[in-house]
Amino acid sequence: GETKVHLEDLAFANGVALGPNDEWVLINDTGRSRIMRLWLQGERAGESEVFIDGLPAMPDNLSFNGRDRIWVALVSLRSAELEALADKILLRKLITGLPSAALMPKDHYAFVLGLDLNGEVVTNLQDSGERFYAITGVNEFDGNLYLGSLLAPDIAIYPLK
């Protein structure tokens, strides 16, 4: 029956994933190309920290495979123009009113990262092809990654073997 703010000053919080045993939650700080961690249990409960910073692309959604990997869907490469707007809330609100075609990623790039539980990159999947890009969702199941896209009418399946 009560709303509590746990993190402030995020530049487009987009995508969350719970960690092992629900000890912490990861939150994409998309506009700053980083991921934050908020501790939910234990001695550090209530504390937050940067999980990974300086991502080369904008994180969209996250998923935890239940064992050892956080998968990060990176929707679009970083843009100096967009980064300059990260702290300009009013201008960002005005931009979101533009037609959706004007807001779509211009680069045709597929990008997914696999992070360990300490935020270190252990898998780096990239493709500059035209077939499937603007990745917005990634989930691991039965030895495969299932990828969703902002612009594609279907999903992609990438075998992890």
Side-chain angles (χ1 to χ4, degrees):
E2 171 183 351
T3 300
K4 291 176 90 174
V5 175
H6 293 278
L7 288 175
E8 294 184 298
D9 300 320
L10 297 170
F12 194 60
N14 185 30
V16 297
L18 287 167
N21 303 312
D22 299 342
E23 288 182 78
W24 39 262
V25 63
L26 298 177
I27 304 101
N28 280 335
D29 192 359
T30 300
R32 291 189 180 92
S33 297
R34 68 181 183 179
I35 299 171
M36 301 297 294
R37 174 167 39 194
L38 174 65
W39 290 89
L40 301 173
Q41 299 179 36
E43 293 178 10
R44 300 192 61 196
E47 293 180 25
S48 65
E49 64 189 351
V50 175
F51 186 69
I52 187 170
D53 201 2
L55 292 167
M58 297 183 338
D60 195 307
N61 279 299
L62 302 163
S63 65
F64 174 48
N65 72 356
R67 296 180 315 278
D68 60 356
R69 193 75 68 241
I70 304 293
W71 292 105
V72 183
L74 298 151
V75 69
S76 179
L77 296 174
R78 287 169 67 169
S79 154
E81 296 82 11
L82 284 177
E83 287 186 27
L85 300 176
D87 62 345
K88 296 171 179 55
I89 295 170
L90 180 59
L91 192 51
R92 283 192 353 241
K93 284 182 181 179
L94 290 173
I95 289 171
T96 59
L98 292 173
S100 60
L103 302 174
M104 294 297 157
K106 302 299 182 228
D107 52 14
H108 290 193
Y109 205 75
F111 205 160
V112 171
L113 291 177
L115 308 176
D116 68 15
L117 300 181
N118 297 310
E120 298 295 323
V121 176
V122 293
T123 306
N124 185 333
L125 304 172
Q126 299 182 46
D127 183 51
S128 59
E130 295 289 317
R131 288 187 54 197
F132 200 84
Y133 53 92
I135 307 295
T136 56
V138 55
N139 286 283
E140 180 181 338
F141 178 74
D142 201 23
N144 295 302
L145 289 183
Y146 292 82
L147 309 172
S149 167
L150 181 63
L151 302 172
D154 42 33
I155 62 169
I157 302 172
Y158 180 84
L160 289 172
K161 298 175 183 76

